[in-house]
Amino acid sequence: MRHFGYISPAAREGLFFREPCEFSASSPASLLSVALGATLYSPATRPTLADDVLKQAGRGVVSMVLCLEDSIDDAEVVDAEANLVRQFAELADRDATGAGLPLLFVRVREPGQITDLVNRLGASVRTLSGFVLPKFTEERGARFLEALAEAEASCGQRLFAMPVLESPELLHLETRGEVLQGIARSVDKYRDRVLALRLGVTDFCSAYGLRRAPDMTAYDVQIVGSVIADVVNVLGRADGTGFTITGPVWEYFRRQERMFKPQLRRSPFLEGSAEELRTALIEHDLDGLLREIELDRANGLLGKTCIHPSHVAPVHALSVVSHEEFTDAQDILRPERGGGGVLRSAYTNKMNEVKPHRAWAERTLRRAEVFGVASEDVGFVDLLAAGLTK
């Protein structure tokens, strides 16, 4: 896999100063947690799930969650499990090496589903990267993580966990601190298997009967913004104790084929295309999404939960490191700067303080490895437009 790998090599050469690296399901967890990008959710009930997975992989999706929880009716669980087993077998048959598949996770309801599904998948378990664990708390999460360890031992394959932080106890002020400390203890015990922590903002809003409008971000809903800040404070530290924390879902979408004009899908370099694309994004409710992605990064989050394919390209385009960011990060991390100090940015528009900005620079270079570095004259709109040529 490679972000923007669906773009031709010639086009990538024009867009990137440094191209995204290749990775696979067997890559180190530290790389995969950054590479998740836009994680696309799909109900496990879809009869064409294998086709859907391969189609989205061809469009640049590198991580997907096949959901047995809130996206399906309670009465559909048994049939959805059976469908998952069939669809994984089909994927294994159609992709013998696994090289063409995204990272695949199953969102379960109960711990017992983990061991049961792994046993039922048989040989096709090789196409599975792990499980998403809903409404994660210390007590509830321990049972999920123990089941994951048992399933991993039985199938002999590395399986990752992605806990979802969405319980009311985490939202409520009187219990938040205790719950966060409990979650920290639980995930630290299984640190080598916790790939990322995901935020369930829809559940947070539900607890107070709230729903944000298309022109509002999760951070505009102050009760939600305060939870995100506390989660990052406890679980997202840059001192080696933190985890990758992914951005919340954006609920709004329009049909992608109606969103962008045909000429934008044919060529990203036509005169006027960038401005037309920018206008299309704003007119079709994606302005709020773009602002939220930028706020995710400003608040320490990386990647995003997505429920519609049209959200994937904006998330990935905004994940590419700019040439200016890359230059600053490299300057800060030069060996001769180990003693600290202050230096002027190569772009001559800011001062880089070596010690305070070191953690930012290290994080930026990790993102640059998997999402690439844009050429000096290439911006977000160019990267997004290039993706629409697929």
Side-chain angles (χ1 to χ4, degrees):
M1 285 177 282
R2 183 207 296 263
H3 281 293
F4 300 94
Y6 55 92
I7 298 175
S8 71
R12 284 204 308 271
E13 185 177 352
L15 290 168
F16 289 97
F17 174 77
R18 178 172 293 186
E19 291 193 25
C21 72
E22 292 185 345
F23 57 93
S24 70
S26 61
S27 295
S30 58
L31 187 147
L32 292 181
S33 68
V34 178
L36 287 168
T39 301
L40 184 63
Y41 275 54
S42 177
T45 51
R46 289 181 65 85
T48 58
L49 200 54
D51 288 334
D52 296 341
V53 167
L54 292 169
K55 178 180 178 180
Q56 296 306 327
R59 292 180 171 180
V61 172
V62 304
S63 62
M64 289 187 70
V65 173
L66 313 179
C67 185
L68 291 167
E69 208 225 2
D70 286 347
S71 68
I72 67 172
D73 190 274
D74 295 346
E76 297 179 304
V77 174
V78 172
D79 288 342
E81 290 176 341
N83 185 55
L84 270 185
V85 173
R86 289 193 300 270
Q87 300 294 334
F88 269 98
E90 183 176 344
L91 285 169
D93 287 343
R94 293 171 64 178
D95 190 69
T97 65
L101 296 179
L103 304 172
L104 294 177
F105 302 85
V106 174
R107 179 171 175 167
V108 291
R109 296 181 172 216
E110 301 296 337
Q113 287 179 300
I114 294 176
T115 49
D116 179 60
L117 282 170
V118 166
N119 289 334
R120 292 166 66 182
L121 285 174
S124 63
V125 74
R126 65 175 177 76
T127 62
L128 177 68
S129 291
F131 292 90
V132 173
L133 314 179
K135 299 171 179 62
F136 193 93
T137 60
E138 182 176 23
E139 180 181 0
R140 179 175 167 86
R143 297 194 297 271
F144 276 113
L145 291 169
E146 288 165 3
L148 181 79
E150 180 183 342
E152 187 178 63
S154 70
C155 70
Q157 175 174 315
R158 180 178 69 169
L159 295 172
F160 287 114
M162 290 202 291
V164 185
L165 310 185
E166 57 187 347
S167 66
E169 297 90 343
L170 180 59
L171 181 63
H172 297 156
L173 185 60
E174 66 272 21
T175 53
R176 185 181 305 170
E178 181 181 349
V179 169
L180 272 173
Q181 292 301 325
I183 290 171
R185 287 190 296 267
S186 184
V187 295
D188 186 62
K189 183 179 178 181
Y190 291 86
R191 176 170 292 276
D192 60 337
R193 288 298 174 263
V194 175
L195 189 61
L197 304 177
R198 312 198 73 88
L199 288 164
V201 165
T202 301
D203 278 39
F204 289 157
C205 289
S206 173
Y208 287 87
L210 306 175
R211 189 175 191 179
R212 65 190 189 273
D215 59 343
M216 288 187 176
T217 71
Y219 304 91
D220 294 318
V221 183
Q222 293 189 20
I223 193 167
V224 171
S226 71
V227 181
I228 295 175
D230 287 345
V231 167
V232 174
N233 190 325
V234 175
L235 296 165
R237 298 177 186 178
D239 59 1
T241 66
F243 295 83
T244 294
I245 303 171
T246 64
V249 68
W250 181 258
E251 297 180 349
Y252 299 92
F253 58 86
R254 299 283 181 88
R255 291 185 61 187
Q256 188 170 5
E257 57 269 30
R258 292 183 179 179
M259 187 183 301
F260 304 115
K261 296 181 179 181
Q263 64 265 33
L264 295 181
R265 295 198 296 270
R266 287 199 301 269
S267 172
F269 302 115
L270 291 175
E271 183 178 356
S273 64
E275 186 56 38
E276 290 176 3
L277 180 53
R278 193 187 308 275
T279 300
L281 288 167
I282 293 171
E283 288 179 351
H284 292 275
D285 296 336
L286 285 192
D287 184 47
L289 170 63
L290 302 184
R291 289 194 297 114
E292 186 165 287
I293 296 168
E294 292 178 337
L295 286 169
D296 285 342
R297 183 165 306 117
N299 285 276
L301 310 185
L302 184 62
K304 201 164 186 65
T305 295
C306 294
I307 58 171
H308 195 271
S310 64
H311 297 173
V312 172
V315 171
H316 289 171
L318 280 172
S319 297
V320 174
V321 172
S322 71
H323 186 267
E324 180 176 348
E325 289 177 306
F326 181 70
T327 301
D328 286 341
Q330 279 198 316
D331 285 347
I332 290 166
L333 294 176
R334 292 189 190 282
E336 62 268 25
R337 300 291 182 185
V342 178
L343 60 149
R344 185 175 65 172
S345 165
Y347 275 68
T348 69
N349 60 354
K350 70 178 79 66
M351 300 303 292
N352 290 321
E353 295 188 64
V354 174
K355 288 184 177 178
H357 290 143
R358 178 170 294 275
W360 169 85
E362 291 170 346
R363 186 169 185 161
T364 298
L365 292 189
R366 286 195 295 271
R367 183 161 54 93
E369 182 180 6
V370 293
F371 287 101
V373 179
S375 293
E376 191 169 357
D377 58 347
V378 169
F380 158 73
V381 171
D382 304 299
L383 292 161
L384 179 57
L388 298 176
T389 62
K390 178 63 179 179

